[in-house]
Amino acid sequence: MLLRFILLLAATSASIAHAAVPANCMQCICNVESNCRVPSPVCQYDVGSLSCGPFQIKDNYFTDAILQDRGLAAIGWKTCSSTRSCSERAVQAYMARYAVSRRLGHQPTCEDFARIHNGGPNGFKRSATLAYWARVRSCLG
């Protein structure tokens, strides 16, 4: 049992080790999404589907995060979204999957992280995410 836990922990750490959303960027995304508060109720309807927690994570986003950090599956979307630390873990996993230099053509920046968070895997290319990025950039100062 202990060995299984250690292997799971190692796999989880390895899967998110290359995700590099800087703390200030993560904080500003959180601020823009919810003023960094866990809403009550945790999940609320937004753009036709539920968004949960301080990062307003949708089910499909969480499912993609699990592909990078399998340990999230055991926690579950709504439970994970109910805490900031687990929500950040899910965001890091999602970014480790999509905000990578081989997809972007450059090292990811806070702009890439914010626009992907807001607009999905290709959000960094969508003009619809520019206003969201402006809000995150304003928070960064």
Side-chain angles (χ1 to χ4, degrees), residues 113-125:
F113 295 129
R115 294 177 70 193
I116 289 169
H117 179 76
N118 179 246
N122 293 311
F124 69 101
K125 298 182 207 178

Side-chain angles (χ1 to χ4, degrees), residues 4 26-27 32 34 41 53 59 97 115 117:
R4 186 187 311 198
M26 185 73 79
Q27 180 66 45
V32 168
S34 68
D59 187 32
R97 182 168 177 79
R115 294 177 70 193
H117 179 76

Side-chain angles (χ1 to χ4, degrees), residues 9 12 48 55 59 71 75 77 82 84 94-95 125:
L9 183 61
T12 299
F55 288 91
D59 187 32
I75 301 166
W77 166 46
S82 71
R84 180 173 171 172
Y94 190 85
M95 295 307 162
K125 298 182 207 178

Side-chain angles (χ1 to χ4, degrees), residues 79-140:
T79 300
C80 181
S81 295
S82 71
T83 69
R84 180 173 171 172
S85 62
C86 192
S87 294
E88 283 188 10
R89 178 178 165 183
V91 172
Q92 289 285 13
Y94 190 85
M95 295 307 162
R97 182 168 177 79
Y98 293 116
V100 293
S101 58
R102 72 179 181 278
R103 287 190 76 245
L104 304 174
H106 59 268
Q107 283 299 109
T109 64
C110 187
E111 179 176 354
D112 296 314
F113 295 129
R115 294 177 70 193
I116 289 169
H117 179 76
N118 179 246
N122 293 311
F124 69 101
K125 298 182 207 178
R126 295 189 176 129
S127 61
T129 62
L130 289 170
Y132 182 86
W133 163 239
R135 293 174 62 204
V136 173
R137 185 178 58 220
S138 175
C139 168
L140 291 168

